[in-house]
Amino acid sequence: VDGIDYSRLRIHPLGLTDLDQLMAIEVYSFPTPWKRSMYEHDLLSNNFSRFYCVKRWPENELTAYIGSWFIYNEAHIGTIATKREHRGLRLAEQLIAYTAFQALNERMEYIVLEVRASNQSAIRLYTRLWFEQVGLRRGYYTDTGEDALLMTCTKLAELTELLQIPEGSPA
Ligand SMILES: CC(C)(COP(=O)(O)OP(=O)(O)OC[C@H]1O[C@@H](n2cnc3c(N)ncnc32)[C@H](O)[C@@H]1OP(=O)(O)O)[C@@H](O)C(=O)NCCC(=O)NCCS
């Protein structure tokens, strides 16, 4: 992959100290960004939350993040974004693969997400990762009135095999 040294990337659980960097990406990436307090709530007091990020070592630069809820048999991705200058490097793919790895460990059976009908790069990404559209939620996004595609993926083992970025800090 060009543009970034993959060997210096690591996947970590998202922490409160990552939220300054995260919020800058969040505000840039979404028409209606989550508030910082929503991330704080998920990190501090939601046992269903599984939030992860990719960081560049040793700078500690946050390059991408994902947030899901694991409930019963379902891993529901609620947020995913990559820093603008690092898009197209498969970091979102790697975080979905890592989430699938965790989801398998915790006996989840599928991953589900909503995506704006206009978000072509995201839809292409999910389609490449074996997600299929299973529904349409009309007017789901109240900011623009846009529809959401509801997409699911059951190929958790296949997703796990895509994983290339290791977890934790380099020794
Ligand atoms: C959607 C998003 C998370 C993808 O992150 P990413 O790390 O660039 O993802 P990947 O590199 O794995 O794949 C991105 C897709 O965008 C395309 N892409 C390539 N270069 C790109 C670039 N410089 N900028 C944007 N998209 C690019 C790729 O072609 C790829 O499509 P493909 O899977 O058909 O090859 C990222 O574009 C983003 O943060 N968008 C804003 C937030 C958002 O829309 N989140 C999804 C909500 S459901």
Side-chain angles (χ1 to χ4, degrees):
V1 185
D2 24 293
I4 196 166
D5 182 356
Y6 239 58
S7 70
R8 293 203 289 121
L9 297 177
R10 291 294 183 276
I11 295 176
H12 302 270
L14 187 69
L16 289 174
T17 55
D18 299 318
L19 291 184
D20 286 345
Q21 293 190 75
L22 179 147
M23 285 308 299
I25 301 171
E26 176 81 15
V27 166
Y28 177 84
S29 297
F30 295 104
T32 304
W34 284 18
K35 292 185 188 346
R36 187 186 179 103
S37 59
M38 297 164 73
Y39 283 98
E40 287 169 345
H41 171 78
D42 268 297
L43 297 185
L44 291 171
S45 38
N46 187 349
N47 287 331
F48 299 120
S49 300
R50 303 291 183 276
F51 282 46
Y52 309 112
C53 62
V54 177
K55 287 202 250 183
R56 184 146 63 149
W57 187 87
E59 298 92 332
N60 207 40
E61 181 194 11
L62 185 78
T63 59
Y65 59 91
I66 189 169
S68 306
W69 304 283
F70 287 8
I71 299 179
Y72 185 48
N73 61 347
E74 171 179 298
H76 185 169
I77 298 178
T79 185
I80 180 168
T82 297
K83 199 171 177 180
R84 181 188 47 76
E85 57 266 45
H86 301 312
R87 288 184 186 166
L89 298 172
R90 302 268 177 261
L91 301 186
E93 170 202 282
Q94 289 296 302
L95 284 171
I96 292 169
Y98 187 75
T99 297
F101 166 70
Q102 297 290 348
L104 263 187
N105 275 340
E106 298 193 50
R107 300 179 200 280
M108 301 296 117
E109 291 173 2
Y110 62 97
I111 304 177
V112 60
L113 56 80
E114 290 95 7
V115 57
R116 285 177 196 259
S118 66
N119 195 347
Q120 285 310 318
S121 62
I123 293 168
R124 259 213 327 280
L125 167 67
Y126 303 141
T127 302
R128 184 168 54 75
L129 298 180
W130 304 286
F131 283 79
E132 292 174 334
Q133 185 184 340
V134 295
L136 183 72
R137 298 190 159 166
R138 292 201 189 277
Y140 180 82
Y141 297 99
T142 51
D143 51 3
T144 58
E146 203 172 346
D147 300 338
L149 310 191
L150 186 67
M151 302 185 81
T152 63
C153 175
T154 55
K155 309 242 187 238
L156 303 189
E158 287 85 343
L159 283 172
T160 297
E161 285 179 20
L162 298 176
L163 198 50
Q164 285 181 277
I165 301 179
E167 1 172 39
S169 297

